[in-house]
Every structure is written in structure tokens, then in C-alpha cells.
Amino acid sequence: MVLMSVLAWTRPGVVNWNLTTSLPPGAHLAMLTMLTTAIGVGWGISWVTWASDYSRFVPRSVPSKSVFWYSYVGMFVPTVWLGILGATIASTTLDTDPAKMVSAVFGGPVSILVLLMVLHGPIATNILNVYSAALAALSAGLKLSRFWLTVIVGVAGYLVTLYFIFAPSFAKAFDHWMISLLLWMSPWAGVVLADFFIKRKGKIEVAELYRSPETSAYGDINCAGMIAFFAGLVAGWLVQDGLVEALQGPISINLLGGADLSWLFGIGVAGLVYLALGKFATSPSSVVASSAGR
């Protein structure tokens, strides 16, 4: 990262420091804020389960604050740094393919070194993905060994990667994928956050999560959670904008000028509906984690 930054920010012609926007100042600030927030929320939600995968291997003697801050800073700094570096490099090219952009900007042997470094990221990331996929399959009750689950996930990931590579536009195909993830992850997060922090005050009986639905205090399917999830899904779609035409909501397109607030409405509506339905629930022991986290 240091090498990329030095090469990009010190060589002439790599970054257009005088680049300006044609948008008015207010609209420019609004679009930058919404885009950055959507990326940040999507990143955080999509990796929220990674926290438990990481912390379960940390000794109990380590203070919780240390676990949080080292993880937070270790993720925040390189992510923001890379975002700033990418934005500055993109100021001189219209190509949205990261590999092509790196090759065009750095060129020659340097681009090979940079691409090798970038290659390490997906490898490290997908190690966690394969591991988490195995845990999710076990939670869902699939009777498969971890070896075959790893093989299945690896093949599926490889096929998706091939689709991205041979797609007419890498950026468009990748945007389609991210939009589809954020649309359902936002209401899911809204229900989980409302259930854990507001309804249960941060207290969960872990042992009950591993009992059979017939004997667990949390039961089987949380109907209030499912209803709230679908309500948030619809609300998010109404204010979503993306390259996928079917996922372009009428409110975003017709009233918001293409601004995408799907993450905000998805989380907010799902969480509020869940809490509202909880007022009428006959059993206080139902929990959305029974369908989303086990």
C-alpha cells in the first residue's frame, strides 16, 4: 500500500489533482456522502459475522475493548486508505476494471508487483468465506463434511469469478452482485439489531440456541422477524438505485434523482416493524437469531 501510494501520488500524470465536478456543491456533497455511507454500511453488514469468527479464537483474558479497537482500526484504516488511493487513481482514467486501471497507471514490472499484492487480498478473504460457509451449513443442519462443503463453495466461487471475468463489463456485473447482497442484508441487519440491542438488551441464552426447536426457549421460526424482514425488503427496494433495472425502485428513480437509500430504509423499516410486532407477540421468547444465526 505504501509503495502504491508513493508511486501514484508522486509521479506526474497519474493523479489529476485539479479534477472538478459539474454538480453544484450541495448535490456533489450529498452524492459523495450517500455513496460513501452506502459502501460503508454494505461492507460492515456483509462482514458482520466475521467478528464472531475472529473473537472465538481470542483468549478470554484479552479485554473486550482491545479486541474491538484492534479489529476496528485494522479494518478501518486500510479500507479508507485504499478507497482514497483508488479515487485519486481513477481521476485520470474512465476504465472501471481495477486490473486494467492498475496496469494503465503503474505499467511494466511495477504493475505485476501491485497485482500480485492485490491477489493476496482475495485469497485471504476467501479463506474466511470458505470457513464461514462451512459454519453456516452446519447451522442450517446440512449433513455434509467440511471437506465437501469447502469443495462445493470453492467451485461455486470459481464459477462466479469466471462470470465476472468474461462479463462485458466487470464493474456492471460486480455492481449487480453487490446490490443484490445489500438489498437483503439491510433488513436482515435491522431485525437482528432491534432484537438483540433493544428487545433483549444484549442478552442471549447461547445454550438455548443449540437445543431442538421443540425444546428451545426461542422456538423455531420467528414469524415477527420474517414479516419485518420482508417489509424492510420492500422498503429498501422502493428507494434503491443500481445498474439492475428490476432493482431500481420508483421512489429513488422518480423522486430522489437516483439517490440510493436502500440500506437506510431497509434497516429502519425492518427494525421498527419488528419492534411493533413484538408488542403483540404472545411469547416473549421468540428470536430472529433462530432463523438467521443458528
Side-chain angles (χ1 to χ4, degrees), residues 71-183:
S71 302
Y72 176 82
V73 175
M75 293 292 290
F76 179 83
V77 172
T79 301
V80 174
W81 183 357
L82 182 61
I84 295 173
L85 177 61
T88 54
I89 293 176
S91 64
T92 58
T93 177
L94 298 178
D95 201 323
T96 55
D97 188 321
K100 293 181 180 179
M101 186 185 301
V102 168
S103 300
V105 170
F106 296 103
V110 177
S111 65
I112 297 178
L113 292 175
V114 172
L115 290 174
L116 286 174
M117 186 201 70
V118 172
L119 182 63
H120 171 267
I123 293 175
T125 299
N126 281 294
I127 290 174
L128 289 173
N129 287 337
V130 172
Y131 170 72
S132 298
L135 292 183
L138 291 174
S139 300
L142 298 180
K143 305 298 182 181
L144 291 173
S145 68
R146 284 204 174 189
F147 172 79
W148 286 112
L149 284 170
T150 301
V151 171
I152 293 172
V153 172
V155 171
Y158 184 73
L159 294 176
V160 172
T161 303
L162 288 179
Y163 169 76
F164 284 158
I165 292 175
F166 290 103
S169 171
F170 173 85
K172 186 174 183 178
F174 188 71
D175 184 75
H176 287 183
W177 173 255
M178 294 303 296
I179 286 293
S180 64
L181 290 180
L182 187 59
L183 183 60

Side-chain angles (χ1 to χ4, degrees), residues 3-275:
L3 174 62
M4 291 175 62
S5 301
V6 170
L7 292 175
W9 294 339
T10 59
R11 295 194 305 170
V14 176
V15 179
N16 182 6
W17 298 106
N18 298 317
L19 181 65
T20 58
T21 178
S22 58
L23 294 173
H28 186 219
L29 177 62
M31 295 304 294
L32 284 177
T33 302
M34 288 187 290
L35 175 62
T36 305
T37 304
I39 293 174
V41 171
W43 177 276
I45 293 176
S46 61
W47 283 96
V48 70
T49 55
W50 182 71
S52 59
D53 293 344
Y54 172 79
S55 60
R56 70 190 297 266
F57 296 109
V58 177
R60 292 181 179 272
S61 59
V62 178
S64 298
K65 288 185 178 180
S66 297
V67 175
F68 172 81
W69 283 110
Y70 276 105
S71 302
Y72 176 82
V73 175
M75 293 292 290
F76 179 83
V77 172
T79 301
V80 174
W81 183 357
L82 182 61
I84 295 173
L85 177 61
T88 54
I89 293 176
S91 64
T92 58
T93 177
L94 298 178
D95 201 323
T96 55
D97 188 321
K100 293 181 180 179
M101 186 185 301
V102 168
S103 300
V105 170
F106 296 103
V110 177
S111 65
I112 297 178
L113 292 175
V114 172
L115 290 174
L116 286 174
M117 186 201 70
V118 172
L119 182 63
H120 171 267
I123 293 175
T125 299
N126 281 294
I127 290 174
L128 289 173
N129 287 337
V130 172
Y131 170 72
S132 298
L135 292 183
L138 291 174
S139 300
L142 298 180
K143 305 298 182 181
L144 291 173
S145 68
R146 284 204 174 189
F147 172 79
W148 286 112
L149 284 170
T150 301
V151 171
I152 293 172
V153 172
V155 171
Y158 184 73
L159 294 176
V160 172
T161 303
L162 288 179
Y163 169 76
F164 284 158
I165 292 175
F166 290 103
S169 171
F170 173 85
K172 186 174 183 178
F174 188 71
D175 184 75
H176 287 183
W177 173 255
M178 294 303 296
I179 286 293
S180 64
L181 290 180
L182 187 59
L183 183 60
W184 73 263
M185 283 182 175
S186 296
W188 172 83
V191 175
V192 172
L193 292 172
D195 180 86
F196 183 75
F197 287 106
I198 299 178
K199 183 177 180 180
R200 305 188 186 283
K201 309 299 182 184
K203 297 180 180 179
I204 291 290
E205 295 294 334
V206 178
E208 293 296 323
L209 297 176
Y210 291 91
R211 299 183 187 276
S212 64
E214 294 77 15
T215 59
S216 173
Y218 295 127
D220 191 2
I221 297 177
N222 185 350
C223 294
M226 297 303 297
I227 294 173
F229 171 78
F230 285 109
L233 197 66
V234 173
W237 170 77
L238 289 173
V239 290
Q240 185 175 59
D241 179 39
L243 298 177
V244 185
E245 186 174 353
L247 298 180
Q248 294 177 351
I251 295 179
S252 174
I253 301 301
N254 299 322
L255 299 179
L256 299 180
D260 191 326
L261 299 176
S262 57
W263 60 271
L264 178 61
F265 278 73
I267 293 176
V269 171
L272 291 175
V273 170
Y274 180 71
L275 294 175

